[in-house]
Amino acid sequence: MTDELNFVQKARREKLEALVAMGITPFAYGYERTHHAVEAVASLAAGVEEGGLVRVAGRLVAWRGHGKTSFAHLADSSGRIQLYFRRDELGDAVFAQLALYDVGDVVGVAGTLMRTRTGEVTVRVTAVEMLAKSLRPLPFGKEEIVDGVTVRHSGFADPEQRYRQRYADLAVHPEVRAVFLARARLVSAIRGFLDGRGFLEVETPVLQPLYGGAAARPFTTRHNALDMPLFLRIADELYLKRLIVGGFDRVYEIGHDFRNEGIDRTHNPEFTMLEFYQGFADYEEMMTVVEALITHAADAVRAVSGMGERVPALRSPFRRIEWVSSLTAELGCDAMSLTDAELRAEAERRGIDHASTMSRPKLLDELFGALVESRIVEPTFVVDYPVELSPLAKPKRGNPALTERFELFAKGRELANAFSELNDPIDQRQRFEAQARLRAEGDEEATGVDEDYLRAMEYGMPPMGGVGIGIDRLVMYLTDTAHIRDVILFPTMRAE
RNA sequence: GACCCGAUAGCUCAGCUGGUAGAGCACGCGGCUUUUAACCGCUAGGUCGUGGGUUCGAGCCCCACUCGGGUCACCA
């Protein structure tokens, strides 16, 4: 049923032709509105039965014909309003034209406000215009209001179709629009927060000759004129830190990173990352910034209609736990003094698969993930990671086995990752060279030596705290959403 | 990449141990001047994801493939 028109589509095309034959343009250029639907409803004060003229425009979402009258509902970005058409008011010719209107059509109506006997504010339509004829039926479900809650019957449920045709999903599901409105408010709030603290928003290359700043397989492409390979960035980190060398004290970027890895409910190949770097700050200071930023973002989401009750209550200050001592408490013995074999035995005992082939850092990470991370519900800073797990962070003052790093977890998921950033170019070169050796051995996630970045560091890189926050996951957390696809408008899908 | 589940009318779904396809809504026609999942009557609508196979006979059983969902792996 892709090319051939089904009987519903045929009927709609016939109505379109009938409109054209009557001299009506079924695809308009605009419509002068006086109100959004919700504003129009609100403009009729309680107890008042009749109001003034309004002009509203939107999509017909329900139609109830009654012979010489009709009721309909029109929905726009603000919400819904009922329409009431009367033959004696519109005249026979115009009223007859209503037979050519369908649910899904985009229309503009003018009329006076009234209240029906059930009290619903309604437009008593005096003029109606077709603004865009809908030639393909939208999968509207029937709605009823039960105890003030909208209950939808049938409707558009196939997840594949909802993701592939997000426009239709959005058109019939106001609650889906609300999630993306919340997302936009959240990003806007973060910009406001960082701008207010003197951070400069910058744009760094998506196409990079070398990739770095994280461990992930990249997407590769090629520039024809330069005849060179390029990588889509997996992180913004190394470019943003170059800018701190350049003298910008505080910078941030919100943009897409790309990682050529699996797709599941928390991973999309392109996703939105916020990274920000604050010169002369260490990770302790960044913890206070992150806490304030998350709280601010949560307030913005909470302010979106319909989202309030989905946003978790955040109590400041966020709990802080140390990586080593929290794992030690769960294991019942000192995690760091266990031998590799003992760690492996612990991992196997705790049901971690493939423990026999894991490196020591991987074993530590897996054990921590299973015993500590996954059980965190309230927002919690995990601080001072073992150096084996944190190749990009500065050693902890007074304990070189640890690093000055924290991650923020909530509901078992990572929301932020931050460190006191490495600013020693000699140490950095050694770490790059270690990566390059791994790469030569076939590790696709390892990066090469970034000589330009080292050159920047050698000029003198101020100490700084850096933070990365996955915006998609933050939106998921704050809107209580289980799948990353539900917070990305057009998630990556296989070709149809 | 592995395993499990799914794909039937525009939408949401039934379809028994294999016997020639069903409902509700939407669509079309008729009726109805305050309805709101409007209502009442009538009609139409399907290559059962694709390709093979078994069988007298396949929506149903078998094989392969496509797409999706889930779980796992991968993702410091």
Side-chain angles (χ1 to χ4, degrees):
Chain A
M1 200 55 69
T2 47
D3 292 330
E4 276 184 56
L5 298 182
N6 65 47
F7 60 99
V8 180
Q9 291 170 302
K10 270 189 191 137
R12 296 208 171 184
R13 291 206 184 234
E14 283 163 15
K15 290 177 184 177
L16 177 80
E17 283 160 18
L19 286 167
V20 171
M22 296 167 77
I24 292 166
T25 307
F27 299 102
Y29 288 85
Y31 192 79
E32 290 278 338
R33 292 189 281 185
T34 61
H35 296 73
H36 280 100
V38 165
E39 293 167 355
V41 169
S43 73
L44 198 63
V48 178
E49 293 301 308
E50 302 269 329
L53 187 80
V54 298
R55 293 169 61 86
V56 293
R59 197 182 290 281
L60 291 174
V61 294
W63 189 274
R64 298 176 293 280
H66 288 261
K68 297 180 185 65
T69 68
S70 282
F71 285 92
H73 271 95
L74 176 141
D76 65 16
S77 61
S78 71
R80 293 158 57 110
I81 189 168
Q82 183 168 251
L83 310 179
Y84 181 40
F85 300 89
R86 295 174 58 96
R87 191 170 76 172
D88 57 11
E89 187 126 10
L90 289 163
D92 291 355
V94 171
F95 192 80
Q97 278 176 27
L98 296 179
L100 304 175
Y101 283 65
D102 289 294
V103 167
D105 290 350
V106 179
V107 305
V109 299
T112 53
L113 291 175
M114 56 169 262
R115 205 177 281 280
T116 64
R117 69 167 60 131
T118 59
E120 180 166 354
V121 176
T122 300
V123 180
R124 182 192 279 260
V125 176
T126 52
V128 56
E129 274 182 52
M130 180 67 77
L131 303 180
K133 182 69 189 160
S134 166
L135 297 177
R136 185 182 289 271
L138 276 166
F140 282 107
K142 295 249 176 181
E143 287 181 5
E144 64 175 328
I145 312 277
V146 179
D147 299 331
V149 178
T150 300
V151 178
R152 193 174 294 118
H153 300 272
S154 182
F156 193 31
D158 181 352
E160 176 178 357
Q161 295 311 318
R162 290 180 61 181
Y163 296 133
R164 287 194 190 282
Q165 300 186 39
R166 181 69 88 183
Y167 36 88
D169 186 32
L170 291 164
V172 305
H173 294 138
E175 70 277 17
V176 174
R177 288 203 299 272
V179 169
F180 290 102
L181 176 63
R183 180 180 175 128
R185 295 277 195 269
L186 175 149
V187 170
S188 182
I190 287 173
R191 284 203 163 93
F193 177 90
L194 292 170
D195 292 344
R197 287 180 176 235
F199 284 85
L200 189 70
E201 181 170 12
V202 297
E203 295 176 83
T204 65
V206 171
L207 291 173
Q208 304 181 346
L210 291 171
Y211 58 96
R217 291 169 61 187
F219 286 90
T220 61
T221 185
R222 179 155 206 88
H223 191 278
N224 290 335
L226 295 177
D227 189 28
M228 64 182 279
L230 287 167
F231 302 99
L232 274 64
R233 69 179 173 202
I234 60 173
D236 308 351
E237 172 150 348
L238 299 181
Y239 283 95
L240 291 172
K241 284 152 82 169
R242 283 172 168 94
L243 296 176
I244 302 291
V245 170
F248 292 123
D249 249 11
R250 301 179 175 192
V251 295
Y252 74 98
E253 180 163 15
I254 296 173
H256 278 201
D257 288 345
F258 305 83
R259 297 186 183 176
N260 204 340
E261 284 158 357
I263 297 175
D264 64 26
R265 65 194 179 290
T266 56
H267 295 85
N268 196 62
E270 62 178 305
F271 58 99
T272 304
M273 181 67 89
L274 161 67
E275 290 190 29
F276 57 97
Y277 294 84
Q278 179 170 335
F280 310 102
D282 66 4
Y283 79 137
E284 286 284 348
E285 186 161 352
M286 298 319 281
M287 255 183 276
T288 67
V289 176
V290 167
E291 184 171 315
L293 182 146
I294 299 282
T295 302
H296 187 68
D299 289 342
V301 174
R302 205 173 280 121
V304 172
S305 171
M307 284 292 140
E309 61 282 4
R310 292 165 73 165
V311 181
L314 301 180
R315 276 196 302 277
S316 295
F318 296 169
R319 194 163 66 105
R320 295 187 187 190
I321 60 175
E322 291 176 346
W323 195 97
V324 172
S325 59
S326 57
L327 181 59
T328 293
E330 289 297 330
L331 283 174
C333 56
D334 179 16
M336 300 314 286
S337 64
L338 289 178
T339 65
D340 289 8
E342 286 167 334
L343 276 176
R344 193 160 288 125
E346 281 292 341
E348 280 167 356
R349 203 157 63 76
R350 312 272 173 177
I352 292 167
D353 295 332
H354 309 296
S356 59
T357 60
M358 285 180 186
S359 61
R360 180 180 180 87
K362 184 73 180 162
L363 283 166
L364 287 168
D365 193 41
E366 287 286 328
L367 278 168
F368 188 81
L371 298 179
V372 183
E373 273 177 28
S374 63
R375 296 178 188 171
I376 292 174
V377 178
E378 299 288 313
T380 301
F381 288 116
V382 176
V383 304
D384 299 343
Y385 279 63
V387 67
E388 301 97 302
L389 295 177
S390 309
L392 298 169
K394 280 177 86 74
K396 181 167 175 66
R397 283 161 276 193
N399 187 349
L402 301 178
T403 53
E404 296 200 355
R405 174 187 182 188
F406 70 83
E407 293 199 320
L408 176 64
F409 290 90
K411 282 194 189 167
R413 283 209 283 263
E414 177 191 333
L415 292 182
N417 183 20
F419 353 102
S420 297
E421 300 287 343
L422 188 63
N423 64 337
D424 172 349
I426 296 166
D427 188 351
Q428 180 70 65
R429 176 175 291 281
Q430 287 166 356
R431 297 186 192 209
F432 273 150
E433 283 170 353
Q435 287 278 303
R437 280 193 295 277
L438 288 173
R439 187 176 168 76
E441 290 163 13
D443 183 347
E444 283 186 78
E445 290 178 1
T447 58
V449 178
D450 190 334
E451 289 290 349
D452 178 71
Y453 180 68
L454 289 170
R455 178 167 57 195
M457 288 185 85
E458 286 168 4
Y459 283 124
M461 177 178 280
M464 71 180 102
V467 178
I469 294 178
I471 295 294
D472 312 278
R473 292 189 187 173
L474 181 59
V475 174
M476 288 169 69
Y477 173 63
L478 293 176
T479 61
D480 192 25
T481 301
H483 294 72
I484 199 168
R485 282 179 166 174
D486 291 326
V487 301
I488 292 177
L489 282 167
F490 297 99
T492 304
M493 302 282 283
R494 212 180 287 267
E496 259 183 289

